[in-house]
Amino acid sequence: RKEVEQDPGPFNVPEGATVAFNCTYSNSASQSFFWYRQDCRKEPKLLMSVYSSGNEDGRFTAQLNRASQYISLLIRDSKLSDSATYLCARGDSSYKLIFGSGTRLLVRP
Amino acid sequence: GAGVSQSPSNKVTEKGKDVELRCDPISGHTALYWYRQRLGQGLEFLIYFQGNSAPDKSGLPSDRFSAERTGESVSTLTIQRTQQEDSAVYLCASSLIPSGGRQETQYFGPGTRLLVL
């Protein structure tokens, strides 16, 4: 089993839709989790950090479920500009990040 | 301020040649990381620098890979005798030094796209 698993998608949704991705992880000792956004042929950019049960920033909400070992990302009122690949990562020790393979989101007009 | 920069942005080389990739971290960031991203995949951790020393090299795939850092600044990743499976995007990131067991935000550079023919 991969350490961090994500549904590769693509998730194809209309503008204004709400979409959610899940990310499962195998190491129950992990304390920190991250969602990064990566545009095509660009570097990953941090979207959200999660250290406790969840985090919210505008249209984006991340929730951590330690019992089931998954973290979700919810995007409300999706915009065309949200189209990207969303990478989930867990912190391993205090510095290393273990990434999933990413979930691709396409928002159509 | 300036972000993480990497050079070259693209590199095409022939199998068996050596390549050197460069990373300039954000000024003041003592922690530096190298990751590799194969097509359609997530990022694989390669090595972590704390200052000029590398307490964790566990992700380097083979002894053909090495990295160094000088002046708590620039880092170079060297791949000797390149193979086709080394083709990937090599991403560098930097951060403040992690402390108290909590991760610091890692800021990524644009990467070097390496193609080994």
Side-chain angles (χ1 to χ4, degrees):
Chain A
R1 184 185 171 184
K2 286 184 183 175
E3 289 202 59
V4 178
E5 290 203 66
Q6 295 184 252
D7 181 341
F11 285 66
N12 192 324
V13 302
E15 258 188 301
T18 295
V19 62
F21 318 130
N22 272 354
C23 166
T24 58
Y25 60 93
S26 58
N27 188 326
S28 60
S30 294
Q31 296 296 314
S32 51
F33 300 86
F34 305 86
W35 282 102
Y36 278 81
R37 172 197 167 121
Q38 186 173 31
D39 292 290
C40 190
R41 299 180 72 82
K42 298 283 189 183
E43 71 271 26
K45 293 195 169 146
L46 183 68
L47 184 64
M48 196 166 292
S49 309
V50 182
Y51 297 104
S52 56
S53 60
N55 198 357
E56 186 172 328
D57 183 4
R59 299 183 293 110
F60 299 84
T61 301
Q63 289 211 297
L64 174 61
N65 185 318
R66 288 192 187 275
S68 301
Q69 292 184 206
Y70 74 84
I71 181 164
S72 62
L73 179 68
L74 182 81
I75 305 175
R76 288 182 294 277
D77 187 24
S78 51
K79 313 288 184 195
L80 295 176
S81 56
D82 293 334
S83 297
T85 296
Y86 291 83
L87 297 168
C88 169
R90 69 166 185 86
D92 184 87
S93 69
S94 62
Y95 54 86
K96 187 189 298 186
L97 292 177
I98 308 293
F99 283 86
S101 298
T103 296
R104 199 163 153 230
L105 172 65
L106 299 172
V107 181
R108 64 181 187 271
Chain B
V4 179
S5 61
Q6 292 186 245
S7 62
S9 52
N10 293 280
K11 177 73 178 178
V12 181
T13 191
E14 292 179 349
K15 179 180 167 181
K17 295 279 176 74
D18 297 353
V19 295
E20 197 170 275
L21 313 180
R22 177 187 168 112
C23 172
D24 283 87
I26 292 171
S27 178
H29 279 187
T30 315
L32 186 146
Y33 317 79
W34 283 97
Y35 292 86
R36 175 170 73 176
Q37 187 174 30
R38 290 196 164 114
L39 190 63
Q41 300 296 313
L43 282 70
E44 298 171 69
F45 169 82
L46 297 179
I47 187 169
Y48 162 61
F49 283 95
Q50 189 171 314
N52 293 332
S53 62
D56 189 346
K57 308 178 186 180
S58 63
L60 294 178
S62 74
D63 59 8
R64 296 187 296 105
F65 287 71
S66 62
E68 65 174 18
R69 189 178 184 196
T70 56
E72 296 197 348
S73 180
V74 172
S75 176
T76 52
L77 176 69
T78 302
I79 310 173
Q80 295 177 307
R81 304 181 302 282
T82 52
Q83 303 293 312
Q84 287 179 332
E85 64 261 28
D86 299 336
S87 297
V89 178
Y90 289 83
L91 289 151
C92 174
S94 72
S95 76
L96 297 172
I97 281 289
S99 62
R102 177 166 273 207
Q103 288 268 0
E104 289 287 342
T105 298
Q106 295 184 22
Y107 297 88
F108 284 85
T112 293
R113 278 185 168 65
L114 175 65
L115 177 61
V116 182
L117 300 175

